Amino acid sequence: MEGTLFNIFAGLTVLSALLVVANPFSRNPVTSAMFLVTTMISISGLFVLLGAYFLAAVQILVYAGAVMVLFLFVIMLLDLREAARRKLNLVSLAMGIMAVGALFLVYKSSIESTYGEASQQQEVAEDNAQVEAKVVGSTRALGQALFSGENGFILPFEIVSILLLVAMVGVILLSRKEPR
Amino acid sequence: MEPTLSQYLLVSGALFAIGLLGVIVRRNLLIIYMSLELMLNAANVALVAMSRFNEKAETALDGQVMVFFIITVAAAEVAVGLALIVALYRKRQTTDVADLATMKL
């Protein structure tokens, strides 16, 4: 059951991420934004599978809600006419795909050598042994991890609130009509 | 059967690679920005997966707390970045990076 759900969500994540970057049917930024929403929602599905329920909710609220509205607002504000379609630079395209593919292969082989077949069996056995002790990121647990104890995160939390204020002021300043 | 840590990391790596590909190949500033968001989310998936398979009880939620902060900072970053794009568009009437190759306004 969990494996099936993982396959669905993982496939959906990777597929719609690909469609954000390279959609063969449309080069309209709005289409990319819509597929970005799909990606975010399926990532939050992965978070639910990982037991991070609070983060799954936050992911949908912040990314699929706030960030996407911001993206769509800006796309429509700029009123992007599809400028004369430029010829893709094939050399740079090939170089990009090669570099990124090589990076992914390095990453994949390093995962496999760390959590390869031999250790994977062991890991699965351990997992089954301590299924009860699985981490669950409910709202209560995450709140306690954030705010309680001497290794809480109260200071970073406050710093983030200041950062949000600074970002808000900065955005208003940047997007005024006549910056002085 | 329950998916393993390496499967989650593989998804995260694929997501990161796709985002990087978008940053390198695409020419539209907005699409490049969306690809940056994809890369941030790849890091989030990896962190949550690591937190799930962490065996120490006292640090078990640290990964998720980190993701919480990343999401907050990413939201602020998106707002600032999009404001910059809007300001740039007002000056130059384009979002194509090939036309924005000089810093001069």
Side-chain angles (χ1 to χ4, degrees):
Chain A
M1 179 63 187
E2 221 173 305
T4 322
L5 282 178
F6 172 79
N7 288 339
I8 291 172
F9 282 128
L12 208 58
T13 305
V14 173
L15 186 73
S16 47
L18 262 178
L19 285 175
V20 171
V21 169
N23 193 333
F25 305 111
S26 140
R27 294 176 68 80
N28 192 341
V30 178
T31 323
S32 291
M34 285 309 162
F35 278 112
L36 192 58
V37 175
T38 323
T39 317
M40 295 309 169
I41 290 174
S42 36
I43 286 176
S44 95
L46 286 181
F47 282 0
V48 170
L49 285 183
L50 284 165
Y53 305 124
F54 180 73
L55 287 180
V58 166
Q59 175 89 6
I60 287 190
L61 283 179
V62 173
Y63 273 114
V67 168
M68 289 326 299
V69 169
L70 216 56
F71 263 112
L72 288 177
F73 249 45
V74 168
I75 290 170
M76 293 180 179
L77 195 69
L78 298 190
D79 188 26
L80 295 175
R81 301 252 166 275
E82 203 45 65
R85 194 173 280 203
R86 287 158 199 272
K87 248 198 315 185
L88 263 177
N89 188 345
L90 278 183
V91 177
S92 80
L93 184 70
M95 287 301 192
I97 289 176
M98 258 163 57
V100 170
L103 183 76
F104 179 68
L105 286 183
V106 168
Y107 185 77
K108 188 166 177 282
S109 65
S110 79
I111 289 174
E112 271 162 6
S113 66
T114 315
Y115 308 99
E117 289 301 319
S119 54
Q120 200 167 353
Q121 247 87 48
Q122 190 191 348
E123 197 184 323
V124 168
E126 278 174 22
D127 278 352
N128 291 341
Q130 40 167 256
V131 152
E132 301 304 318
K134 272 296 161 62
V135 177
V136 170
S138 62
T139 311
R140 174 194 287 263
L142 203 64
Q144 272 166 354
L146 261 176
F147 296 122
S148 72
E150 55 210 74
N151 49 2
F153 294 86
I154 297 175
L155 182 64
F157 190 82
E158 297 296 336
I159 292 174
V160 159
S161 71
I162 294 175
L163 177 77
L164 284 176
L165 177 68
V166 171
M168 194 171 75
V169 175
V171 165
I172 293 171
L173 202 69
L174 277 174
S175 53
R176 271 195 320 183
K177 264 263 148 62
E178 285 266 307
R180 290 144 231 248
Chain B
M1 182 192 137
E2 202 177 333
T4 57
L5 175 57
S6 51
Q7 283 174 295
Y8 281 108
L9 289 183
L10 215 58
V11 172
S12 146
L15 208 55
F16 188 87
I18 292 169
L20 188 59
L21 186 69
V23 172
I24 293 176
V25 170
R26 292 304 296 260
R27 289 276 159 264
N28 188 332
L29 212 49
L30 279 162
I31 309 272
I32 290 179
Y33 220 66
M34 291 180 201
S35 308
L36 281 177
E37 291 305 308
L38 285 181
M39 287 158 80
L40 272 172
N41 274 282
N44 283 353
V45 171
L47 278 169
V48 174
M50 290 290 191
S51 151
R52 170 70 157 184
F53 293 94
N54 187 355
E55 275 150 29
K56 281 194 197 139
E58 65 268 28
T59 60
L61 277 175
D62 279 8
Q64 296 195 15
V65 170
M66 187 85 82
V67 171
F68 176 78
F69 284 123
I70 291 177
I71 289 178
T72 326
V73 173
E77 174 240 330
V78 165
V80 175
L82 288 177
L84 278 173
I85 291 177
V86 169
L88 196 60
Y89 187 81
R90 285 218 180 102
K91 288 268 186 209
R92 306 279 288 265
Q93 304 296 316
T94 179
T95 57
D96 192 306
V97 285
D99 298 333
L100 298 171
T102 54
M103 295 281 279
K104 193 163 153 287
L105 282 177

